[in-house]
Amino acid sequence: MSDPRPRIVFGLMPWPERQAIASALRTETVGGLVLLAAAVIALIWANTPFSNVYEAIRDFHFGIPALGLDLSVGHWTADGLLAIFFLVAGIELKRELVVGELRTPATAALPVIAAVCGMVVPACLYALTAGLGGGSLDGWAVPMATDIAFALAVLAVISTHLPSALRAFLLTLAVVDDLGAILIIAVFFTSDLNLWALGGAFAGLAVFYLLQRYRVRGWWWYVPLGIAIWVLMYNGGVHATVAGVAMGLILRTTRDKGENASPAARVSHLMHPISAGVAVPLFALFAAGVSISGPALAAVFTTPEPLGVVIGLVIGKVLGIFLGTYLAARFTKAELNPDLAWADVLGLSVLAGIGFTVALLIGELAFPGGQTGEHVKAAVLVASLIAAVLAAVLLRRRNTVYRRLYEAENIDADNDGIPDIYQHTPAAEGPTPRTDGQPT
């Protein structure tokens, strides 16, 4: 029997779900600040007299040619290190599908609708802009993704006390965006397929699944197997980051009796800091180094492809996410938290226009080399900066409300480690937490 009660959008979250999301967001926030620093260093370095040193390091080749892995430093960061990022993204997606916001249609509907609209509208605006300007449609997927780490870094810089539900909504949007990006990379950005190598990769994933299925433990099984799957996926013609997300989705997210943490939780705990603090910043360091001269910036607003990216991220994301959220709330049982206003949804929609890591990756895949590719990279940076500034203005204006909600949901007068609001919450707001942190 379906629950006739309305669902409060951006209302109080169940305590275990809030704990899991808070843990993920803490790492993403720190990683976002490192990412921001790496991007700034790349921009400065690429626009100094030492830019030739930057290019020499980025284009330096090394690897194992016999395995088809004679790659440049920039290529290693995009195909190799980002596989770690997508492994963590796959784990987060699996967790959301199994125990998080996406586990039931009722709770998943609003963020999924908002995220899908936030991908479709930017892609359409890019296609319209590029088409009318006589440009290439190859970059239609560039403005589709939200960079959660960069967005959280902006929130950290402007010291906005967003309540946990708003941060969770932003995280869920980014997770669904990542899934869309993964599917786009796998389907639309594949080179000539090597069926033997691809078959070997799928066989490796089957072995990976069986190891999980029969509860085999030990890194010496999984690390060599994971590397082999990555190499085979790369040589199979499918972008190697797909191997990372596939393994993340296979990892078990539920605990067996006697386990302190699931395999997915253990891997995420180990790899998330590496992903946020090393892999993604290094990718940004060798992907964000573009010219910011006057002619290059002018090209962002006068050339159809980069202009389409800017319009897609700055305008398309706002229209898509805001309208998607409004339509979901208008035509479902979802109701906006009475303490919040649609201005808050607008601020989050603008913040979601920060597209960095995945947008740069897709930009490199869509426009490999050449001046157009550099202009598209510059467009991603310019659009993300515009979105960050606009979001900072909008969210800071509402920060008094956010601070009040944030402080109210963190009061712990009895010092038992669980905010008091969870111990006095009506049943309609969610399950009452037990002292062991598991929902009753």
Side-chain angles (χ1 to χ4, degrees), residues 11 19 85 118 120 126 144 146 152 157 159 174 181-182 186 190 195 248 283 293 306 310 397 404 434:
Q19 286 178 303
F85 166 79
V120 172
Y126 172 90
M144 293 177 66
T146 294
L152 291 173
V157 170
S159 300
I182 292 160
T190 57
L195 296 182
F283 168 75
S293 63
V310 173
R397 292 188 63 181
R404 176 169 53 82
R434 303 188 329 206

Side-chain angles (χ1 to χ4, degrees), residues 170-410:
L170 184 62
L171 176 62
T172 306
L173 282 176
V175 167
V176 178
D177 272 0
D178 286 341
L179 175 60
I182 292 160
L183 293 174
I184 288 167
I185 290 170
V187 174
F188 295 100
F189 295 103
T190 57
S191 55
D192 294 334
L193 297 181
N194 182 329
L195 296 182
W196 287 106
L198 203 55
F202 283 116
L205 290 172
V207 173
F208 195 98
Y209 169 78
L210 291 174
L211 291 175
Q212 284 289 288
R213 177 72 175 80
Y214 290 102
R215 305 308 196 255
V216 177
R217 300 186 64 172
W219 64 266
W220 51 86
W221 292 100
Y222 293 98
V223 173
L225 179 59
I227 294 173
I229 291 170
W230 177 85
V231 172
L232 288 166
M233 191 73 74
Y234 176 82
N235 284 287
V238 175
H239 199 270
T241 52
V242 175
V245 76
M247 288 184 278
L249 289 171
I250 291 173
L251 283 169
R252 178 166 53 87
T253 56
T254 55
R255 290 182 295 173
D256 286 340
K257 186 176 180 180
E259 281 188 323
N260 292 325
S262 67
R266 291 195 297 270
V267 174
S268 180
H269 178 75
L270 177 65
M271 301 306 294
H272 209 150
I274 298 174
S275 169
V278 179
V280 174
L282 280 177
F283 168 75
L285 181 63
F286 293 108
V290 297
S291 173
I292 53 174
S293 63
L297 290 177
V300 169
F301 298 99
T302 57
T303 307
E305 293 89 352
L307 180 60
V309 170
V310 173
I311 292 175
L313 284 171
V314 177
I315 299 176
K317 275 290 183 182
V318 178
L319 290 176
I321 293 174
F322 185 86
L323 290 178
T325 305
Y326 176 79
L327 291 174
R330 175 68 175 80
F331 295 105
T332 68
K333 295 177 182 178
E335 293 182 0
L336 188 69
N337 185 337
D339 290 317
L340 299 173
W342 284 104
D344 303 297
V345 181
L346 179 63
L348 277 189
S349 302
V350 175
L351 188 66
I354 299 175
F356 192 76
T357 306
V358 176
L360 289 175
L361 175 61
I362 295 178
E364 288 190 345
L365 296 174
F367 304 103
Q371 198 171 50
T372 300
E374 293 298 303
H375 290 165
V376 165
K377 284 184 182 182
V380 170
L381 300 177
V382 169
S384 298
L385 178 61
I386 294 172
V389 172
L390 292 177
V393 172
L394 292 172
L395 294 176
R396 285 293 297 174
R397 292 188 63 181
R398 297 280 297 168
N399 198 40
T400 301
V401 176
Y402 302 149
R403 182 179 285 109
R404 176 169 53 82
L405 292 174
Y406 179 85
E407 292 172 351
E409 68 180 25
N410 283 282

